[in-house]
Amino acid sequence: MPLLTIDGKVCSFTPGQTIMQIANQEGVVVPQYCYHDGLSIVASCRICLAEVWLPNARNNNKLEPFMGGKLMPTCQTTAAEGMVVYTDSPKSVANQKAVMEYLLINHPLDCAVCDQAGECSLQDYSYEYGRGKSRFEESKIKQPKKDLGPTMLLYSDRCIMCTRCVRFTREVTGTSELLVTGRGNREEIDVFPGKALDNELSGNVADLCPVGALLDKDFLFAQRVWFLKETPSIDGITASGDNITIHHNDGKVYRIKPRINMSVNKWWISDEVRYGWKFIHRADRLGSMVRKQFGMAVETDVQRACSDTVAGLRKAVAAGKKTAVIISPMLPSEEAYLLAKAAMAIDPDTFLAVGPIPVNGVDHHYPPGGDERKRFTVHAEKCPNSRGVRRVLEALSKTGSHNGYVASFEQVTSQLRSAEIGGVLVTGNYPSEWINADFIAALEGTFVAVIDTLPSALTARADVLMAGATFAEKAGTFTNAKGMIQAFEAAIAVKDGAIAEGQLAIGLLDAAGAALPANLGLYNAAMIRQHMAANVPELGAFVSEVHTPTAAVAQEADMEIVEI
Ligand code: SF4
Ligand code: FES
């Protein structure tokens, strides 16, 4: 492989790569504003300019200044064998200082009230590459604040005109709502007249903006970013399996951002995933265990809820009826496994069924018709784990009297209607209303135990109701539309009074008098996966093919901390 040297570090590269791509890959820090791996290269911000030297074959391969010694944009300059790049030479550093001074001329310096403070490239580079002192004495040009659309505000005076946002709407979404108007220091980002920034990936422009110009309305003044903890996770509401980071503080989620995974979501997430987590903190979230007593719903504890569920289902079996367990495709595979095992411990012949799989329209691909290696897909299937749940149930149905039969939600509804089923355990966990009137009507005369997170006609009908946990409050794996098994951990604690489905399943197994998997008293997703692989050969992939997020590297500030 060819080699080049950047700031003293020898790096190998693939022909065609730019100097910056190699630097980013090798961990050599080169300042950059307008460059982004997912967008075209415009080399407009000029902060990445560096001194480049190249061996001259016509002069005994002696190193000579490239292009007559002018500074080269590392984001746009293709690497060549033997190239030597200096981003820290006096000439390069002088350019960095000049660019920073230029960018800050009209900047309002309002970091104290800016949402981007703490994660702003302008702040960071001012410290690393700036002068530390302003020489500007004239009046600053004031730029307006603009409402760009349903998700985004633009504080134009903070904009450094990197045009990442404009290129995103042209090259990724193909919606082209944004443009650059004006010239020189009157240059502004704007929307075309009569058009709003309104597409299903619009929130990504806030992530792309290296400064605090594009602000997410949903996060506006919600929290200072240095208070937020970040937990890597997986999209818990669609089949995309988008890699996300949940930003939270004190048990409250504040925002969700994408994590780069070139095999899944590339650099982006849809607005649906970005803003779809609000149900986690809905005021009416279920937060207790409830049982029916003389027809009245009364609060109970988890042991009683579990023992009532076991008793209710066994009573149906004793009356000569069948039972069913409906496992929601919103649940991780480990929980699906434990719940199915619990239902089979209560009634070995229970019907195993996958809950309703919500689908909305068709898959959307971005860029429309573009390069497949950069393609991002918004999946029409609006649940994270239908494939994982089905895989688990199919594997378990090969044991006992099931003969490989996994029922659909519609099949269970029809058997309930014909009164063949006398007891059912239903799991929900959907982010919005999911149950239909047909199903409720079919439950007439049936014992119903429900585990769900939000109230509905079904939870009101339940003989036993157990409050479950959302994806942000639990650990497990989701299998996405491409069949990738991806693990995630809990970001926040389970809502008071609720218990994650995996733990409830352990309670049900216990109440049914069954042996607990791996003697687990407490739910542990990784140990459940080990147990699944060891006991059901078809589920070996839950150990051998699991993708786990790489741990974020803690970044220590090199600033001196001053005691006040
Ligand atoms: S608004 Fe942000 S992303 Fe868009 S050009 Fe300005 S600085 Fe760049
Ligand atoms: S990052 Fe190279 S010119 Fe902007």
Side-chain angles (χ1 to χ4, degrees):
M1 262 180 140
L3 300 172
L4 93 167
T5 308
I6 312 173
D7 292 345
K9 180 165 182 181
V10 179
C11 314
S12 60
F13 64 92
T14 313
Q17 280 187 297
T18 64
I19 298 170
M20 178 166 296
Q21 285 164 348
I22 301 159
N24 288 348
Q25 170 189 303
E26 297 289 326
V28 181
V29 180
V30 179
Q32 50 201 280
Y33 283 124
C34 64
Y35 178 78
H36 188 281
D37 281 335
L39 302 173
S40 60
I41 299 171
V42 290
S44 63
C45 75
R46 316 307 281 176
I47 189 82
C48 74
L49 266 53
E51 222 177 308
V52 179
W53 293 62
L54 197 65
N56 184 350
R58 284 177 292 182
N59 190 9
N60 270 339
N61 274 339
K62 204 175 147 213
L63 274 181
E64 290 179 0
F66 184 50
M67 297 291 274
K70 68 175 188 171
L71 291 175
M72 300 301 297
T74 54
C75 61
Q76 203 176 38
T77 307
T78 311
E81 171 70 39
M83 212 173 223
V84 180
V85 181
Y86 300 97
T87 74
D88 54 359
S89 70
K91 225 165 137 186
S92 302
V93 168
N95 173 71
Q96 289 153 6
K97 286 198 186 314
V99 170
M100 284 311 299
E101 183 170 41
Y102 166 75
L103 290 178
L104 291 170
I105 282 179
N106 286 309
H107 190 276
L109 304 178
D110 56 347
C111 305
V113 293
C114 178
D115 266 350
Q116 190 86 357
E119 54 182 12
C120 174
S121 301
L122 205 52
Q123 268 187 335
D124 294 346
Y125 292 174
S126 289
Y127 174 69
E128 294 286 344
Y129 306 102
R131 287 177 181 275
K133 206 171 170 188
S134 172
R135 299 185 294 174
F136 190 70
E137 291 172 352
E138 294 77 3
S139 304
K140 289 184 185 247
I141 302 283
K142 288 208 171 52
Q143 298 271 25
K145 295 182 175 56
K146 297 173 192 171
D147 188 345
L148 296 186
T151 59
M152 223 40 65
L153 289 174
L154 173 68
Y155 282 40
S156 307
D157 48 7
R158 296 178 187 157
C159 174
I160 58 163
M161 296 308 299
C162 71
T163 70
R164 279 180 173 197
C165 54
V166 176
R167 281 176 283 147
F168 178 77
T169 61
R170 290 183 187 174
E171 297 164 14
V172 180
T173 60
T175 46
S176 302
E177 297 102 327
L178 296 176
L179 79 159
V180 179
T181 63
R183 285 289 179 271
N185 57 18
R186 300 282 174 186
E187 215 174 23
E188 286 175 39
I189 298 296
D190 211 339
V191 280
F192 280 95
K195 207 170 178 184
L197 174 63
D198 189 7
N199 60 65
E200 59 182 342
L201 305 189
S202 69
N204 290 290
V205 296
D207 302 334
L208 280 171
C209 186
V211 300
L214 281 167
L215 297 172
D216 193 331
K217 286 182 184 175
D218 194 60
F219 184 66
L220 194 68
F221 307 135
Q223 184 85 171
R224 303 310 326 217
V225 298
W226 47 86
F227 292 134
L228 294 174
K229 287 118 202 143
E230 298 178 12
T231 306
S233 186
I234 301 298
D235 155 25
I237 55 176
T238 79
S240 307
D242 290 349
N243 287 214
I244 56 171
T245 306
I246 300 177
H247 294 231
H248 54 95
N249 184 23
D250 272 344
K252 185 171 180 318
V253 176
Y254 282 90
R255 63 179 180 182
I256 281 182
K257 281 181 164 262
R259 265 187 306 125
I260 299 171
N261 186 332
M262 293 310 287
S263 310
V264 188
N265 53 307
K266 317 295 185 290
W267 306 268
W268 325 118
I269 50 172
S270 63
D271 287 359
E272 183 178 26
V273 172
R274 186 182 298 269
Y275 305 119
W277 53 268
K278 300 296 167 59
F279 68 98
I280 294 171
H281 300 303
R282 244 172 73 171
D284 58 351
R285 261 282 301 275
L286 300 174
S288 58
M289 310 293 148
V290 175
R291 59 188 284 269
K292 285 266 170 69
Q293 187 172 279
F294 306 119
M296 297 283 290
V298 291
E299 281 200 15
T300 186
D301 57 29
V302 63
Q303 286 84 1
R304 184 69 196 264
C306 289
S307 58
D308 275 15
T309 302
V310 172
L313 293 173
R314 283 194 172 149
K315 199 168 157 196
V317 176
K321 301 269 183 171
K322 295 189 168 109
T323 66
V325 56
I326 298 171
I327 312 276
S328 168
M330 305 303 294
L331 299 180
S333 302
E334 297 77 357
E335 292 191 335
Y337 176 83
L338 288 177
L339 283 162
K341 289 292 274 183
M344 290 163 85
I346 298 165
D347 171 14
D349 298 327
T350 193
F351 281 123
L352 302 174
V354 183
I357 298 169
V359 175
N360 184 8
V362 293
D363 293 355
H364 297 166
H365 303 292
Y366 295 99
D371 180 354
E372 195 158 334
R373 283 165 305 162
K374 292 192 170 181
R375 181 174 288 172
F376 172 79
T377 302
V378 177
H379 286 270
E381 191 177 308
K382 304 304 179 193
C383 57
N385 199 31
S386 65
R387 288 154 194 81
V389 170
R390 177 161 288 281
R391 188 176 197 168
V392 165
L393 297 191
E394 279 176 356
L396 288 177
S397 71
K398 295 204 174 113
T399 59
S401 60
H402 295 86
N403 293 326
Y405 178 65
V406 174
S408 68
F409 182 68
E410 290 70 27
Q411 284 165 331
V412 173
T413 309
S414 120
Q415 294 201 341
L416 279 164
R417 221 180 280 121
S418 58
E420 286 170 61
I421 293 177
V424 63
L425 170 61
V426 193
T427 56
N429 216 312
Y430 295 85
S432 56
E433 184 69 46
W434 65 279
I435 204 72
N436 58 44
D438 246 18
F439 185 76
I440 302 289
L443 291 174
E444 185 66 41
T446 309
F447 169 80
V448 185
V450 176
I451 308 177
D452 212 339
T453 48
L454 297 171
S456 64
L458 177 65
T459 58
R461 163 65 183 84
D463 295 297
V464 178
L465 173 60
M466 290 168 270
T470 62
F471 73 96
E473 300 162 323
K474 61 174 66 166
T477 55
F478 289 146
T479 305
N480 74 359
K482 285 183 179 169
M484 269 179 81
I485 304 173
Q486 301 186 97
F488 58 95
E489 291 296 323
I492 56 173
V494 183
K495 179 190 160 77
D496 266 355
I499 294 180
E501 283 80 343
Q503 192 61 46
L504 287 171
I506 290 174
L508 288 169
L509 278 162
D510 200 22
L516 297 181
N519 296 322
L520 273 183
L522 274 181
Y523 175 81
N524 178 317
M527 288 181 76
I528 300 294
R529 287 198 290 278
Q530 294 286 349
H531 172 87
M532 286 159 66
N535 290 275
V536 188
E538 288 92 337
L539 299 181
F542 286 95
V543 167
S544 60
E545 291 174 24
V546 175
H547 297 258
T548 45
T550 42
V553 182
Q555 288 195 345
E556 294 297 327
D558 57 351
M559 262 187 265
E560 191 187 342
I561 307 292
V562 182
E563 290 292 334
I564 300 175

